[in-house]
Amino acid sequence: MIKIVNLDKYYGEKQVLKNINLEIKEGEVVALIGPSGSGKSTLIRCIDYLEEPTSGEIYINGKNIADSGKDIDKIRQNIGMVFQHFNLFPHKTVLENITLAPVLTGRMSKEEAEDKAIELLKTMDLLDKKDSYPASLSGGQKQRIAIARSLAMEPKIMLFDEATSALDPEMVGEVLKVMKDLAESGMTMVVVTHEMAFAKEVADRVIFMAEGEIVEENTAVDLFENPQNPRTIEFLSKVL
Amino acid sequence: MEILDLFVEYKQYYLIGIKTTIMLSFFSLIIGTTLGGILCLLRLSKFRLLKAVATVYIEVFRGTPMMVQIALVYFGSYVLLGVDMNSFLAALIAVSLNSAAYVAEIIRSGIQSVDKGQWEASRSLGLSNGQTMRHIILPQAVKNILPALGNEFVTLIKETAVASTIGVLDLMHASKIVQSSSYKAFDPLVIVAAIYFSLTFTLSKLVGVLERRLSYSD
Ligand SMILES: Nc1ncnc2c1ncn2[C@@H]1O[C@H](COP(=O)(O)OP(=O)(O)O)[C@@H](O)[C@H]1O
Ligand SMILES: [Mg+2]
């Protein structure tokens, strides 16, 4: 579903991704872990082409996204992205936040999009907030709305970049629950996270990155219980 | 009071002057905003040439005195094109072109003040660049742009005083007429300063109200 080949990314002189090769299958949940500055965000943002790779290729369902030209919008419509700071549209109500993209991209009529939004809000237990503006919501509510906004496009892949890092501790759980349900529903997911318990429980595969490289990858159980690389061992000893 | 009597005596000159100054500033702002919007789009575009043209335009108009620009349009239209241009029209053109440069920068900074995450969220949903600009960025940028445009209006009211140099019957010109017909040099200046101040002060207050209104809806 996602295939990354020899991906390099430089910011100026600085190389932040070094020869990344990675394949993610449909329905797989992959957790990306690693110290801050190791390139996790850059990698996940390259998948959505929010960052342009310096060299190497990224294929989404066999299509090289660098060759997509104007079709990049079409590709992105099938990839949802959830950000650390939610990035809800502050001038739109919750309902408008969710219906905007499906309607503007022509994917759904206004009625269909609203039905879909209401259904999503119900599953998130946030239907009573549908006419509120984002500013009046708690962090956990905002992030769940942001997830609903992405899901309204009925994406095939969901990317999460530290979706719970900006939340007060008591709100982390409600967002992780939504992510877990999504994973169980069979969504293909790439999750950058510092929540090791979540990665262990939900991810099929865990990738440890450091200094722009994939240092080690394995099933969640094996990587956490039996890490091989000294850098992985050191990192895990700090965070577990 | 002597100065008040002077004002009352020459009231009709001042009224015409106020009207002309406001009209010149207001229409220049409208035209300048339209042109400024286009200039800003060019400036932010991906095409190097368009970007360069817009940048040069903005720098030149911001880097030369409005008095010179007005004279260039007024006399230039005669020298280069052989057109005997009405002085109000010449001032309107020059002030609009000048204002466009400032407004382009106002709009640009309004757009750039919107959090980068808004672009990313919108693009990641599959909206195009244009859709993102129109539905996500501009509605938020307007909050910063409108008050700044109000301030630009205030600036124009003051700066259009130089239009009197080519004979536009604006407020400054009225003051000059009063000076020469009353044989008084100082008092008419006090009057005209007071009028300019009450215009700009009122307008600044209105901008302040607008600013508060817009920030409430955050
Ligand atoms: N826009 C940018 N310009 C320059 N350097 C950047 C930019 N974004 C990220 N970096 C650098 O790239 C490296 C990787 O960053 P990032 O992918 O955000 O790491 P992580 O998400 O793992 O914390 C860091 O050293 C960071 O400073
Ligand atoms: Mg990061």
Side-chain angles (χ1 to χ4, degrees), chain B residues 2 13 17 33 39 47 49-50 59 66 72 76 79 88 105 112 121 128 152 158 162 173 179 182 187 193 196 208 213:
Chain B
E2 212 178 310
Y13 290 103
T33 302
L39 264 181
F47 303 103
L49 183 68
L50 297 181
E59 294 304 326
M66 194 185 302
L72 275 174
V79 174
F88 181 83
E105 289 297 275
Q112 289 179 340
S128 69
E152 172 66 7
K158 290 183 292 177
V162 300
H173 194 88
Q179 278 179 318
S182 67
D187 290 359
Y196 271 116
R213 277 274 174 82

Side-chain angles (χ1 to χ4, degrees), chain A residues 157-174:
Chain A
I157 300 168
M158 284 289 285
L159 309 174
F160 293 83
D161 191 359
E162 298 199 27
T164 57
S165 295
L167 299 177
D168 292 336
E170 73 270 21
M171 291 172 186
V172 169
E174 65 192 59

Side-chain angles (χ1 to χ4, degrees), chain A residues 11 14 16 35-42 162:
Chain A
Y11 285 116
K14 191 171 177 217
V16 295
S36 154
S38 56
K40 306 180 297 295
S41 296
T42 307
E162 298 199 27

Side-chain angles (χ1 to χ4, degrees), chain B residues 43-62:
Chain B
R43 175 112 198 219
L44 296 176
S45 87
K46 275 177 261 158
F47 303 103
R48 285 253 184 88
L49 183 68
L50 297 181
K51 211 184 179 103
V53 168
T55 307
V56 168
Y57 179 100
I58 290 168
E59 294 304 326
V60 167
F61 273 88
R62 297 203 312 167

Side-chain angles (χ1 to χ4, degrees), chain B residues 116-166:
Chain B
K116 211 167 138 262
Q118 294 288 306
W119 277 103
E120 293 178 349
S122 177
R123 296 309 301 273
S124 79
L125 288 165
L127 299 187
S128 69
N129 201 47
Q131 287 171 325
T132 301
M133 191 62 145
R134 168 142 175 252
H135 296 277
I136 306 301
I137 306 301
L138 279 180
Q140 296 182 61
V142 158
K143 277 190 186 189
N144 306 313
I145 292 172
L146 278 185
L149 279 183
N151 290 328
E152 172 66 7
F153 193 14
V154 171
T155 305
L156 284 181
I157 286 186
K158 290 183 292 177
E159 296 215 323
T160 52
V162 300
S164 65
T165 57
I166 58 165

Side-chain angles (χ1 to χ4, degrees), chain B:
Chain B
M1 250 174 61
E2 212 178 310
I3 205 163
L4 264 185
D5 294 339
L6 191 67
F7 174 68
V8 172
E9 190 181 341
Y10 291 98
K11 198 176 63 196
Q12 68 273 40
Y13 290 103
Y14 285 118
L15 287 180
I16 292 173
I18 290 172
K19 202 177 123 209
T20 308
T21 289
I22 290 181
M23 284 210 327
L24 179 57
S25 312
F26 181 74
F27 288 117
S28 296
L29 184 70
I30 300 292
I31 302 169
T33 302
T34 313
L35 292 177
I38 297 168
L39 264 181
C40 175
L41 281 183
L42 298 184
R43 175 112 198 219
L44 296 176
S45 87
K46 275 177 261 158
F47 303 103
R48 285 253 184 88
L49 183 68
L50 297 181
K51 211 184 179 103
V53 168
T55 307
V56 168
Y57 179 100
I58 290 168
E59 294 304 326
V60 167
F61 273 88
R62 297 203 312 167
T64 52
M66 194 185 302
M67 194 170 195
V68 176
Q69 294 165 10
I70 286 185
L72 275 174
V73 172
Y74 185 57
F75 299 113
S77 59
Y78 188 75
V79 174
L80 299 178
L81 308 172
V83 189
D84 192 2
M85 200 183 275
N86 167 304
S87 59
F88 181 83
L89 186 62
L92 182 65
I93 292 172
V95 179
S96 298
L97 294 178
N98 173 284
S99 190
Y102 286 91
V103 172
E105 289 297 275
I106 288 173
I107 297 177
R108 185 171 72 105
S109 77
I111 287 172
Q112 289 179 340
S113 69
V114 177
D115 179 21
K116 211 167 138 262
Q118 294 288 306
W119 277 103
E120 293 178 349
S122 177
R123 296 309 301 273
S124 79
L125 288 165
L127 299 187
S128 69
N129 201 47
Q131 287 171 325
T132 301
M133 191 62 145
R134 168 142 175 252
H135 296 277
I136 306 301
I137 306 301
L138 279 180
Q140 296 182 61
V142 158
K143 277 190 186 189
N144 306 313
I145 292 172
L146 278 185
L149 279 183
N151 290 328
E152 172 66 7
F153 193 14
V154 171
T155 305
L156 284 181
I157 286 186
K158 290 183 292 177
E159 296 215 323
T160 52
V162 300
S164 65
T165 57
I166 58 165
V168 175
L169 301 176
D170 74 336
L171 193 48
M172 194 61 210
H173 194 88
S175 176
K176 288 177 185 165
I177 292 175
V178 176
Q179 278 179 318
S180 55
S181 27
S182 67
Y183 304 110
K184 285 189 168 119
F186 185 68
D187 290 359
L189 286 175
V190 174
I191 294 174
V192 80
I195 297 175
Y196 271 116
F197 180 72
S198 40
L199 288 177
T200 57
F201 186 74
T202 316
L203 205 54
S204 303
K205 287 283 154 213
L206 289 176
V207 172
V209 172
L210 179 74
E211 214 158 355
R212 252 165 289 137
R213 277 274 174 82
L214 288 173
S215 63
Y216 275 168
S217 55
D218 255 336

